[in-house]
Amino acid sequence: DGGITQSPKYLFRKEGQNVTLSCEQNLNHDAMYWYRQDPGQGLRLIYYSQIVNDFQKGDIAEGYSVSREKKESFPLTVTSAQKNPTAFYLCASSIFSGSNSPLHFGNGTRLTVT
Amino acid sequence: AQSVAQPEDQVNVAEGNPLTVKCTYSVSGNPYLFWYVQYPNRGLQFLLKYITGDNLVKGSYGFEAEFNKSQTSFHLKKPSALVSDSALYFCALDRLAFGKGNQVVVIP
């Protein structure tokens, strides 16, 4: 089955440590996205990539970094500079970067930083 | 700047009754509007979208949505709610602006 795989499902880290969240898709989609979900706030866009080796900042990119070395993979690193990293992180993809194609989501990674 | 508002936090409805989840938007230009559903500890699933054309859009699981340009609204509807429709529903404008979500509770 085609889809988006996010791993791990739960992640615990100590404050001050960088952590990388994995996102892999086998849908052959061009565009990939990272969102952060906090209770009562909906989804906020962190970074997105429309093509390999290219990515753009979203609304809340500070304290995060990404790479897009392969079409299938779009890992997100939460750095120690992110002031409030505890959240549910969702990766998504769309068949192309145009605005009218729906997003396909992974099942998320819940990150807890103490 | 574009934005989406979902004014209600929670929508309670009896099983078999009509379900409506409200969404209003603000954007310059033509909107691309989407509805997604989220079950606990899962990602979002696409329900339906409005790009252009007919104002009534039909989607998955019996859901539909009505686009109203004059009222800048895109309300989600289902004629007869099921207990299994209980979930969190998000309205989105393009892929940049999501509403805060509405918890739908269908009471048996």
Side-chain angles (χ1 to χ4, degrees), chain A residues 37-105:
Chain A
Q37 184 178 12
D38 295 283
Q41 292 194 44
L43 275 67
R44 292 182 288 169
L45 182 64
I46 305 172
Y47 267 99
Y48 65 102
S49 168
Q50 297 175 307
I51 197 169
V52 174
N53 292 323
D54 186 50
F55 47 84
Q56 288 79 40
K57 293 181 179 180
D59 296 329
I60 57 165
E62 185 174 349
Y64 299 98
S65 66
V66 293
S67 63
R68 186 89 186 274
E69 296 177 2
K70 299 186 300 182
K71 187 175 185 178
E72 304 79 21
S73 179
F74 192 42
L76 173 74
T77 296
V78 184
T79 76
S80 57
Q82 168 49 233
K83 303 232 181 294
N84 186 19
T86 294
F88 189 50
Y89 290 88
L90 287 163
C91 179
S93 69
S94 62
I95 190 166
F96 62 100
S97 59
S99 298
N100 61 359
S101 59
L103 295 168
H104 297 254
F105 285 85

Side-chain angles (χ1 to χ4, degrees), chain B:
Chain B
Q2 53 191 28
S3 65
V4 172
Q6 294 181 245
E8 301 161 316
D9 288 331
Q10 182 163 312
V11 175
N12 296 325
V13 61
E15 186 176 23
N17 281 6
L19 169 63
T20 298
V21 188
K22 296 179 181 178
C23 171
T24 58
Y25 67 90
S26 174
V27 67
S28 56
N30 294 323
Y32 296 136
L33 292 159
F34 300 82
W35 275 102
Y36 295 89
V37 61
Q38 184 180 34
Y39 297 98
N41 294 312
R42 302 295 296 271
L44 281 66
Q45 298 175 32
F46 168 70
L47 280 178
L48 50 79
K49 67 178 180 181
Y50 173 83
I51 304 302
T52 187
D54 196 348
N55 289 342
L56 185 63
V57 179
K58 293 191 183 296
S60 306
Y61 312 119
F63 283 94
E64 58 189 28
E66 185 167 10
F67 173 70
N68 187 315
K69 188 171 183 177
S70 63
Q71 297 185 5
T72 62
S73 67
F74 189 55
H75 300 333
L76 181 70
K77 301 181 181 184
K78 186 171 184 180
S80 178
L82 301 172
V83 172
S84 57
D85 293 329
S86 299
L88 190 56
Y89 290 81
F90 289 95
C91 181
L93 184 60
D94 196 339
R95 65 278 324 278
L96 299 178
F98 280 76
K100 63 179 174 60
N102 284 124
Q103 183 68 49
V104 169
V105 177
V106 181
I107 303 162

